[in-house]
Amino acid sequence: MNTKELDAAYVAPTYKRFPLEIAKGKGSLAWDEQGKEYIDLGTGIAANIFGLADDGWIQAVTEQLTKVQHTSNLYYHEPGSRLAQLLCEGTGMKKVFFGNSGAEANECAIKTARRWAFKKYGDESHSNIITLKNSFHGRTITTLAATGQDVFHKEFGPFTPGFLYADPANPAELSALAEKGCCAIMMEMVQGEGGVNALSPEFVAEAVRVAKEKDLLLIVDEIQTGNGRSGKLCAWMHFGFVPDIMTTAKGLGGGLPIGACLLGERVETVLDAGSHGSTFGANPVCCAGAVYVMEQLNPELLDGVTARAEYIRKELEGAKGVEGISGMGLMIGISSTRPASEVVAACIERGVLVLTAKTKIRLLPALNIPMELLAKAIAILKEELGK
Ligand SMILES: *Cc1c(COP(=O)(O)O)cnc(C)c1O
């Protein structure tokens, strides 16, 4: 059996895959098993932040791999400590908990918020967390419960209680929700899986105001928006406030699994020895890759993200078949007259990998995609959008 047949026979069918096997890659180019070339504007859903097989990242990862591949959290290791330092210095957060995925990072954020409230009130009276309609926070039972989309709340119940859903189009309703025994407001600055929609500055300002007035924590899920994708290290940095807790994953590991929950001053002492853990969390190889990633995210690279994002918008805004462009930085949603799935299939056929989010076409290119490759891919996308 070939790869596709083996998959059909043995892999749980939870994914609707594109008809394409990725055999190898270099930077923003990928090749299938027959050697057909693709320009990758999806980066494994924002994970391959510098594309495939990036030289510097490979060196960082392999060097660590040949020294120590895993220690467990019973011992110290240099890449974990160094990565925590880089994350805190870059964001102003105080402490980091490492897990292996976005969902796990969000679980930590939720546990931290609840424990903070328990310590403050002495009971579970303020355990509710306000999340947003159309959000996405992960696939565990609790992060699904946090996810404000009804489609995810079926057939797997009972779900974890304690989540209230606010409509980001209706900031005025936040204040009343916050009266209902809450400890935190949790949000993505750009709702990625929900359709690449940035929150309005009005909604964010109201969330910040209500959090302050009601003494709630602000949790920002930067799993997709973080690590420079928005043109700043974190998307919240565009909105003029600082969260109490933030989570990130996807791009952080450069393609290896790692998630991080960053704790600000108000919650830095909430988790103590034994209160939380993860066997593989802060895996040294993943951390070494993430240290390399963090070290590259300098102002020059971030300016390059903004320049590429402006180029894409300039090319596509008002183009034939394009109804609108949403998102921030190199996290772009395109509303099209032609069905998104059809455009994606046509692009793949023509050697360009793009994604969907709800009814939109979604672009998540590598932050360092060479301009000439980007131009070539956008030209093909533009043609397909106009058909
Ligand atoms: C992808 C994503 C998650 C879940 O991350 P996993 O690594 O798949 O667990 C959570 N929140 C947001 C905003 C995401 O984009």
Side-chain angles (χ1 to χ4, degrees):
M1 283 193 270
N2 67 24
T3 304
K4 284 172 199 164
E5 290 159 354
L6 285 168
D7 182 281
Y10 298 115
V11 178
T14 60
Y15 302 106
K16 196 164 157 263
R17 300 190 205 276
F18 294 116
L20 161 64
E21 177 182 344
I22 296 182
K24 64 173 189 165
K26 193 73 200 164
S28 288
L29 289 175
W31 291 275
D32 70 13
E33 79 287 7
Q34 275 141 35
K36 181 177 167 185
E37 186 173 285
Y38 299 85
I39 302 172
D40 181 15
L41 302 185
T43 58
I45 321 185
N48 299 329
I49 189 168
F50 302 135
L52 291 154
D54 178 79
D55 287 329
W57 177 83
I58 287 180
Q59 199 191 330
V61 166
T62 48
E63 212 169 276
Q64 182 59 40
L65 189 57
T66 55
K67 283 194 262 179
V68 180
Q69 84 274 29
H70 173 73
T71 58
S72 87
N73 285 299
L74 300 174
Y75 308 101
Y76 298 95
H77 60 73
E78 197 267 341
S81 299
R82 171 80 179 127
L83 178 58
Q85 178 192 19
L86 287 170
L87 286 168
C88 288
E89 285 177 356
T91 60
M93 297 287 119
K94 299 295 182 194
K95 297 281 189 291
V96 184
F97 176 85
F98 290 111
N100 308 288
S101 66
E104 213 182 334
N106 282 340
E107 289 273 346
C108 178
I110 292 162
K111 283 179 77 172
T112 303
R114 285 190 166 180
R115 193 174 220 222
W116 173 81
F118 195 96
K119 284 178 183 292
K120 185 171 156 195
Y121 297 100
D123 56 30
E124 294 177 0
S125 62
H126 289 71
S127 56
N128 287 336
I129 296 176
I130 298 172
T131 63
L132 306 194
K133 290 184 180 157
N134 217 28
S135 58
F136 183 80
H137 295 299
R139 298 283 191 164
T140 62
I141 288 286
T142 296
T143 56
L144 278 179
T147 293
Q149 300 189 52
D150 290 341
V151 295
F152 289 109
H153 300 159
K154 292 193 175 116
E155 299 179 7
F156 291 108
F159 288 91
T160 310
F163 294 96
L164 308 172
Y165 311 107
D167 182 354
N170 193 359
E173 118 200 334
L174 260 181
S175 184
L177 274 181
E179 298 289 343
K180 300 181 177 174
C182 295
C183 60
I185 301 172
M186 179 168 181
M187 55 195 175
E188 303 153 84
M189 308 318 293
V190 183
Q191 297 187 321
E193 305 306 308
V196 202
N197 294 312
L199 295 182
S200 69
E202 297 71 37
F203 181 86
V204 177
E206 180 62 2
V208 171
R209 191 194 69 75
V210 168
K212 192 166 179 159
E213 184 184 281
K214 305 285 191 334
D215 198 29
L216 310 181
L217 299 172
L218 286 165
I219 305 173
V220 176
D221 178 341
E222 293 268 355
I223 287 162
Q224 192 162 158
T225 52
N227 312 297
R229 184 150 293 279
S230 71
K232 292 186 190 282
L233 185 61
C234 305
W236 57 259
M237 293 173 175
H238 295 272
F239 287 83
F241 76 103
V242 180
D244 300 300
I245 300 175
M246 67 160 271
T247 55
T248 189
K250 291 201 167 87
L252 179 60
L256 283 176
I258 186 169
C261 178
L262 280 60
L263 308 173
E265 209 167 348
R266 291 170 78 196
V267 293
E268 67 170 312
T269 60
V270 167
L271 299 177
D272 53 7
S275 62
H276 196 41
S278 170
T279 300
F280 278 116
N283 172 270
V285 178
C286 300
C287 284
V291 165
Y292 176 79
V293 166
M294 286 297 293
E295 283 174 345
Q296 307 311 304
L297 297 177
N298 54 40
E300 197 187 328
L301 189 126
L302 297 175
D303 286 348
V305 170
T306 305
R308 285 165 176 79
E310 280 168 4
Y311 171 80
I312 296 172
R313 278 182 180 264
K314 189 168 72 46
E315 283 299 306
L316 296 182
E317 244 154 22
K320 189 162 172 244
V322 175
E323 289 175 336
I325 310 272
S326 65
M328 248 178 137
L330 286 177
M331 182 171 171
I332 291 178
I334 304 160
S335 309
S336 55
T337 47
R338 200 176 165 197
S341 57
E342 207 181 293
V343 175
V344 172
C347 283
I348 292 178
E349 195 55 43
R350 295 186 60 187
V352 176
L353 302 181
V354 296
L355 310 174
T356 58
K358 291 273 169 74
T359 58
K360 291 182 190 169
I361 296 142
R362 172 168 49 161
L363 309 183
L364 293 164
L367 304 192
N368 62 352
I369 182 170
M371 273 311 293
E372 59 275 19
L373 282 184
L374 182 63
K376 203 171 148 190
I378 293 299
I380 290 170
L381 172 61
K382 201 169 163 179
E383 270 180 38
E384 291 303 328
L385 284 162
K387 278 186 184 166

